[in-house]
Amino acid sequence: MARVVVIGGSGHVGTYLIPALVERGHAVVNVSRGLARPYTSSSTWQHVEQLSADRPLEERDGTFASRIKALKPDIVIDMISFELTSTQQLVEALRGEIEHFIHCSTLWVYGHTTAVPADENEPLNAFGEYGINKAEIERWLVHEARTSGFPATIFRPGHIVGPGWAPINPLGHLNIDVFQRIARGQELTLPNLGLETVHHVHAEDVAQIVLGSMSQWRSSVGEVFNAVSDQALNLRGYAEAMFDWFGFQPQLAYAPLEQWMQLQSPEDAQLGWEHIARSSCLSINKARRALGYQPRYTSLAGVQESVSALIAAGQIETH
């Protein structure tokens, strides 16, 4: 089995990925700031080597990449690289030293898409600093894989859901008061006609993509994979399903986007606009064919599991 270094493995995806790696017999090192705990408990974490690192600080000092190399990994899974220079430092240190480099990107590299569901051949029209930077990293990594043989694979998660954190809601932001209103049967105002889309994915299914990339090395190196559920949701259908889940008839109103944004807090309006403007809807056919990907969770099932956890934690009241 391999020695696997996961950079940023204490987050949403790592909660499922790292135990799965241990269960498969891999020797696992989790490199993180040491501030976060996994969202669900597992006895497998006692078999994980934990390494504390301040990545931004160590990258400025020029020591981070050499620390990762010194761990002598066979596989590196980088969950938290957000700038090209960060990825480049790591790749140059690891070139010729590892079997596989797996990079976590984002569905926001697509920006606005021409056709849906968008597959991995869709041109990247990223906008906003986060999406633009991730697209730049992707292009460079794919070029390196295909021209110099660096063994890189990239995956693009959707809006991640699972117990322990709030899902993107039917208004396209993270304010759990939206679910509270639905749980009380109160009216919800959607932007436009509520036909914009969001595409969730359960963190366990993202971990499945990573594991599939490792097991199907020949099919995954030099490739990019969407990591989402089997179907996106439009805002109206999403809201209606959640009203029904809570036992209420949908109570929906609609407002033009500019007017709708005035009804939200500035933070919620901005995040809602970010999701509405992109209206993500992606295809997973490539991952199905190449990696055997079969998402366990639909978008709604993943969201409802997340909301159930919020209810259990007393953050949403149901009566």
Side-chain angles (χ1 to χ4, degrees):
M1 292 291 102
R3 180 168 171 81
V4 183
V5 171
V6 183
I7 303 172
S10 298
H12 305 334
V13 177
T15 292
Y16 296 90
L17 175 60
I18 286 184
L21 289 169
V22 173
E23 288 166 0
R24 285 161 174 75
H26 297 295
V28 181
V29 182
N30 177 36
V31 181
S32 71
R33 289 178 299 170
L35 302 177
R37 292 181 176 273
Y39 288 85
T40 59
S41 60
S42 170
S43 60
T44 57
W45 283 90
Q46 65 186 321
H47 302 292
V48 177
E49 181 182 345
Q50 300 285 352
L51 179 65
S52 178
D54 185 330
R55 182 173 188 168
L57 178 61
E58 293 179 29
E59 285 180 339
R60 287 194 295 271
D61 293 341
T63 59
F64 182 76
S66 59
R67 284 189 73 189
I68 301 301
K69 179 181 177 181
L71 295 172
K72 299 187 181 304
D74 300 306
I75 299 169
V76 172
I77 302 168
D78 192 356
M79 300 297 302
I80 53 169
S81 181
F82 306 109
E83 295 182 359
L84 178 57
T85 55
S86 181
T87 297
Q88 287 174 328
Q89 287 183 30
L90 198 53
V91 168
E92 294 308 326
L94 297 173
R95 197 182 294 276
E97 303 289 334
I98 62 172
E99 299 172 7
H100 206 174
F101 181 86
I102 303 175
H103 172 81
C104 178
S105 186
T106 172
L107 83 175
W108 277 18
V109 296
Y110 287 104
H112 58 85
T113 54
T114 301
V116 294
D119 66 21
E120 291 82 353
N121 293 319
E122 180 79 16
L124 303 186
N125 295 303
F127 58 89
E129 182 179 5
Y130 177 60
I132 290 171
N133 287 348
K134 281 292 195 179
E136 188 178 28
I137 293 170
E138 281 198 19
R139 291 188 182 100
W140 186 81
L141 276 176
V142 170
H143 179 265
E144 289 301 305
R146 295 178 180 176
T147 61
S148 71
F150 185 75
T153 298
I154 298 161
F155 63 98
R156 297 169 176 163
H159 313 312
I160 298 175
V161 293
W165 62 95
I168 296 296
N169 61 46
L171 300 188
H173 54 66
L174 290 167
N175 191 334
I176 63 173
D177 184 59
V178 170
F179 293 112
Q180 184 62 77
R181 292 183 62 81
I182 294 173
R184 291 172 175 161
Q186 298 173 339
E187 185 177 84
L188 196 65
T189 300
L190 301 179
N192 300 322
L193 297 177
L195 298 180
E196 291 83 0
T197 54
V198 287
H199 209 155
H200 297 85
V201 63
H202 196 285
E204 183 177 348
D205 287 327
V206 181
Q208 183 190 153
I209 288 276
V210 177
L211 296 167
S213 298
M214 291 170 57
S215 65
Q216 301 298 323
W217 185 89
R218 293 185 182 278
S219 298
S220 70
V221 166
E223 299 295 336
V224 182
F225 298 96
N226 294 332
V228 290
S229 70
D230 58 348
Q231 287 184 305
L233 298 170
N234 67 47
L235 303 183
R236 176 176 178 169
Y238 182 9
E240 290 174 342
M242 293 307 293
F243 271 105
D244 181 69
W245 189 65
F246 278 109
F248 293 100
Q249 288 293 316
Q251 302 295 319
L252 298 176
Y254 304 89
L257 181 60
E258 293 77 9
Q259 180 182 334
W260 174 84
M261 290 181 72
Q262 295 300 314
L263 301 175
Q264 315 300 311
S265 70
E267 179 182 359
D268 290 345
Q270 180 60 38
L271 186 56
W273 179 87
E274 296 282 0
H275 288 98
I276 290 166
R278 291 171 173 86
S279 284
S280 301
C281 177
L282 308 184
S283 168
I284 57 172
N285 285 340
K286 181 178 178 180
R288 286 189 192 274
R289 292 192 309 269
L291 309 180
Y293 177 53
Q294 293 292 339
R296 177 182 174 191
Y297 291 85
T298 64
S299 287
L300 278 173
V303 167
Q304 288 164 357
E305 184 181 85
S306 296
V307 174
S308 293
L310 293 171
I311 293 169
Q315 295 180 258
I316 296 173
E317 297 178 357
T318 57
H319 50 75

